[in-house]
Amino acid sequence: QVQLAESGGGLVQAGGSLRLSCAASGRTFSSNAMGWFRQAPGKEREFVAQISASSSNTYYADSVKGRFIISRDNAKNTVSLQMNSLKPEDTAVYYCAGSVRYSHIVIAEEALYDYWGQGTQVTVSS
């Protein structure tokens, strides 16, 4: 069973940047597609970004495209989310997720992910 631990959340002013990291334990990480999701207060969890096992493919929600960058380091079992030009509407708990079944995911579907982290809070002040 792969376990995930997110870090890097915090409070930042609008226009600022944060880098989230997700450390994975387990031997299957390098063959798993990985993603980031977020959940704002009172809203459903939504897709943010995903990256294929080989890093050759990345996908982003329209709301973060051009501002966020997802990356991974399979040698270190980590996946990161660089968040730039942050907006108050980016405020949410951010979750890292991984798929044992798929190395490449092309749709934003939570059900395709098999394991999740506990989340890290990101708050963007105006």
Side-chain angles (χ1 to χ4, degrees):
Q1 182 71 15
V2 179
Q3 294 184 325
L4 300 174
E6 302 97 335
S7 61
L11 173 64
V12 63
Q13 288 188 334
S17 298
L18 278 177
R19 184 177 180 87
L20 305 184
S21 293
C22 176
S25 63
R27 292 177 289 180
T28 66
F29 176 84
S30 62
S31 63
N32 299 167
M34 298 297 296
W36 286 94
F37 291 75
R38 68 186 182 186
Q39 186 168 21
K43 296 186 177 181
E44 293 188 352
R45 190 158 56 186
E46 64 176 5
F47 165 76
V48 176
Q50 55 195 21
I51 186 167
S52 61
S54 65
S55 298
S56 58
N57 298 95
T58 57
Y59 303 93
Y60 298 91
D62 288 343
S63 58
V64 307
K65 200 172 295 183
R67 300 188 297 122
F68 290 11
I69 300 172
I70 188 171
S71 61
R72 66 189 295 161
D73 185 338
N74 286 342
K76 297 181 179 179
N77 276 17
T78 58
V79 60
S80 299
L81 186 69
Q82 177 66 41
M83 305 186 295
N84 302 318
S85 302
L86 282 161
K87 304 175 181 180
E89 50 264 42
D90 294 319
T91 294
V93 176
Y94 283 71
Y95 297 91
C96 177
S99 177
V100 175
R101 292 168 287 163
Y102 302 99
S103 61
H104 181 194
I105 296 175
V106 298
I107 58 174
E109 177 54 62
E110 284 190 32
L112 300 181
Y113 291 86
D114 302 299
Y115 54 95
W116 294 77
Q118 294 299 306
T120 185
Q121 176 71 46
V122 171
T123 303
V124 184
S125 62
S126 57

